[in-house]
């Protein structure tokens, strides 16, 4: 890593996200391949941006795939889960991509952070679709696991317990779905309204 | 009839391209990546994550094997099982192409596929 460019060093750090066994077997080779891609990217205008975009798009799904690739999950479920995790992680990777691009363009850090959040607010409405799809995929995988275990019985509940990564993804999707809509619409003014059945309701009126 | 039926597909698209790339001679990761990109006219680009995920599965299933190198640059070569899998895949494509030609779906009248 010493003597490598910042780009290669960043990739080396991201490789730590892979499972230990996988990293020990393929980490050095992956880093070497990236090093050569990085050298090539230096010679092409916009090469770094293209390279990092490719890397950031494939990284979440390949990392999740390696963690979930176990005997007890079917291939299709592992693919579903990897897609679900990628969708959930997409906003964070978007921020990282923005930071890498900003750094490559030599923008000051304050400006980069401001722009990253502005971009995040701009794309948040689109991002709501991601956890919704992720939730459906996780639910489909969980349903199949339970079905394979013979329906919702003691064995089925045992399967749910064993399938904690799927349940975790499902809960994360629900959480993201609940949280995202309140993040993008500017300041909020609290108002109170009276509902005939429920009583007093607190409502939030967006001012922009 | 049975003998002419190609075996069902066992390799995903990136896995097939990788086995094809190492069928004739041993190659390392970057070479495989560039060969696939070049020979596909730039339409197929495999990133390091996808490449090594596929290599791992191909090694586990015995379609390719290691042929020397060091920790930073290992060489891979297709095994007889890998070569047989390529033949199976190519037979499937050949059969699909024959059917497409027979039913007039290839080449298309609008010029696509020519």
């Amino acid at each position: 890593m010493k003597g490598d460019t910042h780009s290669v060093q960043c990739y080396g750090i991201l490789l730590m996200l892979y499972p230990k066994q996988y990293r020990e077997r393929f980490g050095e080779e992956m880093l070497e391949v990236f090093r050569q891609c990085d050298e090539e990217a230096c010679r092409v205008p916009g090469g770094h941006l293209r390279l990092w975009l490719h890397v950031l798009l494939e990284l979440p799904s390949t990392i999740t795939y390696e963690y979930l690739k176990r005997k007890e999950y079917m291939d299709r479920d592992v693919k579903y889960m990897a897609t679900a995790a990628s969708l959930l992680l997409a906003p964070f990777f978007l921020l990282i991509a923005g930071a890498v691009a900003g750094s490559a363009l030599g923008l000051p850090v304050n400006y980069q952070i401001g722009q990253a959040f502005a971009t995040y607010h701009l794309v948040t409405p689109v991002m709501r679709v991601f956890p919704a799809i992720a939730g459906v995929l996780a639910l489909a995988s969980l349903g199949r696991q339970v079905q394979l275990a013979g329906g919702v019985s003691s064995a089925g509940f045992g399967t749910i317990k064993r399938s904690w990564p799927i349940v975790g993804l499902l809960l994360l999707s629900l959480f993201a779905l609940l949280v995202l809509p309140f993040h993008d619409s500017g300041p909020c003014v609290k108002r109170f309204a009276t509902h005939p059945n429920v009583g007093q309701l607190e409502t939030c009126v967006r001012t922009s | 009839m049975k003998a002419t039926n190609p075996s069902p597909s066992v390799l995903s698209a990136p896995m097939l391209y990788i086995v094809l790339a190492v069928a004739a001679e041993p190659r390392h990761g970057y070479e495989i990546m560039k060969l696939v990109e070049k020979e596909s006219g730039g339409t197929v680009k495999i990133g390091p994550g996808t490449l090594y995920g596929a290599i791992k599965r191909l090694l586990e299933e015995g379609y390719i094997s290691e042929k020397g190198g060091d920790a930073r640059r290992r060489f891979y070569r297709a095994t007889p099982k890998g070569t047989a899998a390529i033949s199976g895949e190519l037979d499937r494509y050949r059969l699909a192409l024959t059917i497409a030609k027979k039913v007039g779906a290839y080449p298309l009248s609008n010029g696509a596929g020519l």
Side-chain angles (χ1 to χ4, degrees):
Chain A
M1 294 273 278
K2 221 175 180 182
D4 278 331
T5 62
H6 289 307
S7 179
V8 175
Q9 285 172 358
C10 279
Y11 190 72
I13 293 167
L14 285 174
L15 282 181
M16 288 177 194
L17 296 172
Y18 279 95
K20 194 179 171 210
Q21 215 179 350
Y22 181 90
R23 206 172 59 229
E24 282 174 356
R25 171 62 184 79
F26 296 106
E28 282 285 314
E29 278 182 86
M30 287 174 79
L31 194 65
E32 179 61 23
V33 168
F34 185 84
R35 199 174 277 127
Q36 287 178 278
C37 290
D38 187 65
E39 278 173 24
E40 195 187 293
C42 286
R43 296 192 287 268
V44 188
H48 269 119
L49 202 64
R50 268 202 295 272
L51 174 65
W52 269 98
L53 200 65
H54 195 154
V55 163
L56 291 175
L57 280 174
E58 72 165 13
L59 216 61
S61 60
T62 52
I63 290 172
T64 319
Y65 194 95
E66 292 309 326
Y67 273 105
L68 297 174
K69 183 70 186 159
R70 300 181 195 164
K71 291 270 182 229
E72 65 257 40
Y73 294 125
M74 290 167 73
D75 275 356
R76 194 197 297 176
D77 284 328
V78 175
K79 277 176 195 160
Y80 273 16
M81 303 263 291
T83 311
S86 312
L87 290 170
L88 284 174
L89 288 170
F92 302 104
F93 277 87
L94 191 79
L95 288 178
I96 296 172
V100 170
S103 168
L105 294 169
L107 300 173
V109 176
N110 286 351
Y111 182 81
Q112 274 182 50
I113 293 170
Q115 283 303 306
F117 277 99
T119 314
Y120 184 72
H121 281 287
L122 194 73
V123 298
T124 306
V126 181
M127 291 297 175
R128 283 175 204 160
V129 179
F130 290 2
I133 300 170
V136 170
L137 290 174
L139 202 61
S141 297
L142 190 62
R144 197 178 6 258
Q145 292 295 320
V146 173
Q147 198 184 13
L148 285 172
V152 181
S153 58
S154 55
F157 282 121
T159 310
I160 293 176
K161 219 171 157 184
R162 277 199 309 279
S163 305
W164 61 266
I166 305 182
V167 178
L169 273 177
L170 188 61
L171 293 176
L172 264 175
S173 311
L174 289 173
F175 178 74
L177 261 180
L178 288 172
V179 168
L180 275 180
F182 300 101
H183 263 271
D184 65 324
S185 310
C188 162
V189 175
K190 280 181 183 171
R191 300 246 170 100
F192 293 92
T194 309
H195 191 275
N197 297 329
V198 189
Q200 203 175 48
L201 279 176
E202 189 181 300
T203 54
C204 195
V205 178
R206 301 284 171 199
T207 55
S208 62
Chain B
M1 188 70 189
K2 200 177 174 183
T4 57
N5 272 351
S7 56
S9 178
V10 288
L11 299 173
S12 65
M15 285 162 88
L16 175 65
Y17 293 131
I18 294 167
V19 183
L20 277 170
V22 298
E25 59 180 281
R27 291 182 202 274
H28 58 75
Y30 185 71
E31 261 188 309
I32 296 171
M33 189 193 267
K34 294 318 291 177
L35 188 82
V36 170
E37 192 179 330
K38 188 184 157 205
E39 296 305 325
S40 67
T43 54
V44 181
K45 285 179 184 168
I46 307 175
T50 310
L51 176 74
Y52 281 96
I55 285 179
K56 181 181 168 239
R57 284 187 284 288
L58 289 167
L59 283 169
E60 282 169 356
E61 288 167 31
Y63 292 112
I64 59 170
S65 61
E66 273 184 55
K67 287 282 169 213
D70 54 35
R72 283 173 63 168
R73 192 175 282 192
R74 288 191 181 94
F75 287 82
Y76 300 96
R77 175 89 199 247
T79 59
K81 187 183 173 185
T83 317
I86 294 174
S87 300
E89 290 290 332
L90 296 182
D91 283 345
R92 272 173 14 88
Y93 290 144
R94 202 175 297 129
L95 181 66
L97 188 63
T98 310
I99 294 170
K101 278 179 179 169
K102 272 185 187 165
V103 300
Y106 184 88
L108 294 171
S109 52
N110 62 8
L114 281 170

